[in-house]
Amino acid sequence: MSDHSSTAEVRRLMEDPLGHDPEVWRTLSTEVGATALHIPEVYGGAGFGITELAVACEEMGYALLCAPYFASVVLAATAILNAGTEQQKQNYLPGLAAGTQKGTLAYAERNGRWSANAIETQATKRRGHYVLGGIKSFVPDAHVADHVIVAARIEGESNLELFLTESDAPGMVIQPLSVMDETRKLSVIELTDVPAERLGETDKTMAIRETLAIAAVCLANEMVGGAERLRTDALAYAQMRVQFGRPIASFQSLKHKAADMLMDVELAKSGAYHAAAAFDTGADDAEAMASLAKAQASDAYMQTAVHAVQINGGIGFTWENDTHLWFKRAKSSSVFFGDANYHRELLIQAWT
Amino acid sequence: MAFTEQSVREQVRAFLEDTWDPNLSLMEWRNILVDSGWGVPSWPEAWYGLDLSLSLVPTVNEVFAEFEAIHVARKGAGQLAAATILTHGTDAHRQKYLKPILTGETTWCQLFSEPGSGSDLAGATTRAVLEGDSWIVNGQKVWTTSAHHADYGFLLARTNLDVPKHQGLSMFLIDMRQTGIEVKPLRQMNGHASFNEVFFTDAVIPRDQLLGAEGDGWQIATTTLMHERRFADSAGRKIEPSIRTERIYQEEAEEIRVSNEPYKWYPQRAGRPDLVLERAQSTGCIEDPVIRQEIAKLLSLNLCVGWTAARAKAAQAQGKTPGPEGSLSKLASSVVAREANRVHTLISGSDAMLTGPESPMEGVIAEVLVSTPAISIAGGTDEIQKNIISERVLGMPKEPRTDVDVPFLEVRRN
Ligand SMILES: Cc1cc2nc3c(=O)[nH]c(=O)nc-3n(C[C@H](O)[C@H](O)[C@H](O)COP(=O)(O)OP(=O)(O)OC[C@H]3O[C@@H](n4cnc5c(N)ncnc54)[C@H](O)[C@@H]3O)c2cc1C
């Protein structure tokens, strides 16, 4: 990962509208096999679980890898796995597993809320086929996706459903958003009578909830990876930096801060690992644990980022220093797919 | 001459009635003003002042405000340079530099911080070596505001490596417009470039541009920093351009625009708690009980910080030595900024991922989110503030130091 995601490379891709290196994507999918991880072998995958997927995400968070992995593998593939018919899985998963095709999930809308009742996009049946209308926002890597999975309601019904469409479908306009964290590109998608196929045939409420929960777990693992990187880099800097004739790491206030940071990150890691495993063991509370992990990781990553800038002093506030790249990822990941308060509310709902 | 509030008021009125004319050019007016003594009335009579006691300066300002008359230039490091030169300079220095600073003809920068010496300012390693009649300077400064358009700088440089660190520093007045100086803008994590890195490669300073004696640099820097803290109020405050349209106001507005440019984002680094309620109301978050609590907590904290600063000011006005309230203000403002960042994030939700003109409040909120880390670093870090509070205010034992009593050459550094 560090071979292919040096910070020079990260900075180059931040500026690049594509946002990832196709060559690295090919390596990631064909040589490393990372895109196939949690997809069953029958659909061209490697047949591992969420635990392995989470480990990949953690490494990517550590390296701040710029790639549509979260969008395509974590979101799109998981959504199809959870909601698709057998035929749909056979149609779409092999391409995603091989990395030759990419996907994303268009869930949230302009209101930026992540609960099902915030979704207003509509699916209407015309001559036996569905067309979608609405505006999706905060969609990761839509600009490079082939398949776009859209959360919408069928006209006159109350349940949320998932629909699959292609990014070049008529009536679909994908526009980049100006984002603080330029290592993850987000888009707005306007949908006007976009033809789409419904994923699955029966009620998809549970499938959608589980997909969002797996997204939260993977994000949590990505975040603890990023926090670990910030923590270790800041510590290395403190050992090296000399003021007043001694390494700043020798000041007790800095040692205490370093110890606090270790505690924050390790606790958040435990939460993230536990939640990933809960999906693989089929634990009843896996969704709740996903929320716990996301909330814990959001707070820990942001706190670590604040400490990391502080330990670097003035240089930590500059563009040239790498700390801000992770700081911005921490800030936006903390609200992406629901902030800590949102997830703590879900958690307490599950517990009561 | 003994001044009273009454006589000051009358004399300033008479002066302004005679001379103030908004149709003058800025330079014409400032020349008149500086020669009159009313530009810097608390300065000595020999140097553009009237020896007016500091307590009467507000009266002068009041009359200026009545007339909407323009003051001497107050931009960048100029005021600090002027105060330093007035105190430590020779008559030749004062003759050469003071008036153009006051009229605003020259721009100055302060060359203190270095990549290797931030918290430990006395660890500066930029070298000045006397060769014939010139000091030759090599090294690097950083965080230098206005260096890219400064005419002069006051420079803290090491002139002796064989004495303890605080004794081997000297202060120089340096002409910034020379080939030995390269100025590079320094971009911050919020995208702005408010500061510069300044590189010296055999830059030349005439021998007589040493301020004070060789080895006095630390002591002079300390008084400058004291001035800086005293002026912190006015330097941080935005000087608002007048809305009047006469020539002189337009020229001043341009001067203010240029000197405020680097500070555009400064309000955001304090976290903008003032925007929190408005944002919560316009987004509807104000209905959320958790967010209500957070907002109430933040705004209460912010009010207490303001009242604490007011207590410190009141004590100072009564001539009491500043108590802990003063030292606490800076530290407390870091807490406010960090908490405000958090609350703005809560209110913005997913919109906190956005930036630029189409993000909340035309990008102001996004700027808050990536600017507040500055406040606990700039002007001395929180950790240094806590050391000061514990050691000087609370009288706790000082950390043992290994770097002060030995020749600088023997002190460990990067
Ligand atoms: C926005 C901004 C504006 C600035 N403006 C100016 C300016 O106008 N002029 C200017 O000269 N400088 C300016 N600075 C520089 C600023 O003063 C220094 O960055 C600051 O003093 C810290 O120094 P440093 O960056 O070298 O960090 P370091 O001193 O290397 O500190 C690194 C870390 O070590 C900690 N540390 C250091 N010493 C101790 C100790 N004794 N005990 C415990 N912890 C310690 C610090 O708290 C910090 O967390 C600015 C900086 C910023 C970010």
Side-chain angles (χ1 to χ4, degrees), chain A residues 237 241 243-244 248 251 253-254 310-315 317, chain B residues 110 112-113 115 117-120 143 145 195 265-266 269 374 377-381 383-384 387:
Chain A
Y237 181 76
R241 172 73 167 174
Q243 291 284 278
F244 304 101
I248 58 171
F251 293 114
S253 68
L254 215 146
Q310 186 67 19
I311 289 174
N312 277 272
I315 190 83
F317 192 65
Chain B
Q110 174 186 319
F112 287 9
S113 288
S117 60
S119 297
D120 179 20
W143 299 110
T145 317
F195 310 94
W265 57 278
Y266 267 36
R269 75 178 189 175
I377 300 168
T381 67
E383 289 73 23
I384 295 297
N387 288 348

Side-chain angles (χ1 to χ4, degrees), chain A residues 15 108 110-114 137-138 177-181 186 237 239-247 250-254 257 302-303 306 309-310 312-320 324 327-328 331-339 341, chain B residues 114-121 143 165 186-191 197 265 290-291 294 338 341-342 345-346 349-357 366 369-374 376-377 381-384 387 399-403 411-414:
Chain A
E15 309 268 310
R110 293 262 201 211
N111 62 37
R113 289 169 45 217
W114 300 90
S137 193
F138 309 105
L177 284 163
S178 295
V179 285
M180 168 195 292
D181 167 22
L186 303 178
Y237 181 76
Q239 305 272 27
M240 182 278 287
R241 172 73 167 174
V242 173
Q243 291 284 278
F244 304 101
R246 55 197 260 199
S250 71
F251 293 114
Q252 205 161 46
S253 68
L254 215 146
K257 192 178 299 220
M302 201 59 240
Q303 179 63 75
V306 168
V309 175
Q310 186 67 19
N312 277 272
I315 190 83
F317 192 65
T318 62
W319 190 269
E320 205 179 297
H324 76 100
F327 181 99
K328 290 169 184 171
K331 178 56 83 179
S332 42
S333 302
S334 77
V335 298
F336 199 32
F337 282 83
D339 67 10
N341 281 3
Chain B
E114 293 186 11
S117 60
S119 297
D120 179 20
L121 202 56
W143 299 110
K165 64 201 288 188
L186 182 65
R187 195 171 175 207
Q188 295 116 232
M189 66 180 270
N190 61 10
E197 295 176 286
W265 57 278
V290 178
I291 293 185
E294 295 283 353
R338 267 196 300 272
N341 183 322
R342 219 171 48 75
T345 307
L346 274 177
S350 298
D351 283 347
M353 292 189 280
L354 305 179
T355 187
L369 303 186
V370 293
S371 296
T372 57
S376 48
I377 300 168
T381 67
D382 276 8
E383 289 73 23
I384 295 297
N387 288 348
E399 285 264 322
R401 300 266 310 246
T402 55
D403 61 325
V411 173
R412 178 165 175 195
R413 57 180 191 272
N414 285 122

Side-chain angles (χ1 to χ4, degrees), chain B residues 278-356:
Chain B
E278 181 187 340
R279 283 281 299 149
Q281 273 154 349
S282 73
T283 55
C285 284
I286 195 68
E287 306 296 332
D288 181 326
V290 178
I291 293 185
R292 290 168 77 83
Q293 286 284 326
E294 295 283 353
I295 292 175
K297 228 190 300 180
L298 170 67
L299 295 184
S300 306
L301 178 72
N302 192 41
L303 282 170
C304 291
V305 172
W307 294 327
T308 308
R311 270 171 66 207
K313 239 190 192 151
Q316 226 170 352
Q318 288 172 11
K320 287 188 199 149
T321 43
E325 311 90 9
S327 329
L328 289 174
S329 293
K330 181 168 187 318
L331 199 54
S333 62
S334 296
V335 183
V336 170
R338 267 196 300 272
E339 286 303 294
N341 183 322
R342 219 171 48 75
V343 175
H344 274 303
T345 307
L346 274 177
I347 294 171
S348 292
S350 298
D351 283 347
M353 292 189 280
L354 305 179
T355 187

